[in-house]
Amino acid sequence: MKAKLGMSPIAWWNDDLVELSDDVSLEECLRQSRSAGFTGMEKGRRFPDDPEVMLPILRAADVTLCGGWFSGTLVDEDLASNKARIAPMIKLFKAVDAPCIVYGEVGRSIQGKREIPLAQKPKLSDDEMKAYAYKVTEFGEWCAEQGMPLAYHHHMAAVVETEPELDAFMKASGAGIPLLLDAGHLAFAGGDVLRAIDNHHQRISHVHVKDVRMGVIDGLDRTKQSFLDAVALGAFTVPGDGSLDFGAIVQKLADYGYEGWFVVEAEQDPVANPPLRMAQVGHKELMRVMTAAGYTVETQGFPKG
């Protein structure tokens, strides 16, 4: 089985917490992650939106674009407005041969609102969840028809956060919207990562190997502290530096034949946790557990020729 290892630039520049951003260029970010062994990088705010500009940067760094976040609003807004917003992203991602676009629901979400505590996260009724899942499936099918599949990202402080919410969404949605499994977000929400893989492995098309510091999470007052407070306190980190057993997680994915990207997404203070060093820690741990699970990790970055 083959696997590819990527990173998210959120370790270098945090879009929601400016104070958790390192003042490094896109080129330096790519250089550091590639030197640690990663062959892919998800899109961040310092990436150009013109493929004619992006491709030479990726080529020079020997890195491929392995995904990127789209802020979806389908829980409140119509398909047409979301199609119009994602269309330029589809064009860009196709031009640079990215594997997927990550759909993250921001409608009603409090993930970017530091003044709103975790306990006040939005919740959907059963009927609302069914209608939402149907609409997201239709959107995913349309994106795939345009030549770029989506991967649905369950997320803390959003309408699909907990394991029961994920189960309800997956039950009501269809194969037209594959799943991005994020180990860290599910663990933060109190879910069982291995059980989620058992239940939804047929739809998993992209994986975020985000680790968590359960000591930080367990110490939160969710009636007073927000998702961004948790990030600032160090709730997230890279595999090998946190509380999750990625040996068991990766083995479970291997047991079901998952092949594709494993992306380290670990937003934290780059001063206290230098991104290059953390990238090296995460890559070493992933190589250890992937070798044990029988994966061959691809080492080619930007396509040759």
Side-chain angles (χ1 to χ4, degrees), residues 102-115:
V102 175
Y103 182 96
E105 183 62 54
V106 298
R108 307 188 196 180
S109 175
I110 61 169
Q111 65 203 60
K113 299 177 180 179
R114 198 164 187 175
E115 71 278 11

Side-chain angles (χ1 to χ4, degrees), residues 20 114 213 216 220 225 228-236:
L20 297 190
R114 198 164 187 175
R213 297 183 177 101
V216 173
L220 293 171
Q225 291 175 293
L228 292 182
D229 287 335
V231 172
L233 288 168
F236 296 128

Side-chain angles (χ1 to χ4, degrees), residues 43-108:
K43 188 177 183 294
R45 70 171 187 266
R46 293 184 181 177
F47 278 73
D49 292 321
D50 182 344
E52 298 300 319
V53 179
M54 186 189 293
L55 282 168
I57 294 173
L58 295 175
R59 183 181 294 109
D62 191 31
V63 169
T64 60
L65 191 73
C66 62
W69 175 280
F70 171 73
S71 294
T73 56
L74 288 171
V75 72
D76 288 322
E77 297 181 350
D78 59 20
L79 284 163
S81 60
N82 279 269
K83 287 178 180 179
R85 286 195 301 108
I86 203 172
M89 194 171 182
I90 290 175
K91 183 178 180 181
L92 170 65
F93 275 44
K94 287 172 65 177
V96 300
D97 199 26
C100 66
I101 291 175
V102 175
Y103 182 96
E105 183 62 54
V106 298
R108 307 188 196 180

Side-chain angles (χ1 to χ4, degrees), residues 10-11 20 213 231 234 236-238 241 266-270 273 278:
I10 203 167
L20 297 190
R213 297 183 177 101
V231 172
F236 296 128
T237 187
V238 300
D241 187 56
E267 58 268 51
Q268 53 187 327
D269 185 347
N273 303 278
M278 300 311 290

Side-chain angles (χ1 to χ4, degrees), residues 178-237:
L179 175 65
L180 183 159
L181 180 86
D182 189 305
H185 277 277
L186 196 60
F188 192 152
D192 184 317
V193 178
L194 299 181
R195 182 170 59 210
I197 296 171
D198 282 333
N199 290 337
H200 307 302
H201 60 90
Q202 291 181 323
R203 297 257 297 275
I204 295 172
S205 67
H206 205 59
V207 174
H208 277 179
V209 279
K210 182 197 295 283
D211 208 340
V212 294
R213 297 183 177 101
M214 289 307 300
V216 173
I217 291 171
D218 291 343
L220 293 171
D221 182 343
R222 299 192 186 208
T223 66
K224 296 179 180 178
Q225 291 175 293
S226 67
F227 172 70
L228 292 182
D229 287 335
V231 172
L233 288 168
F236 296 128
T237 187

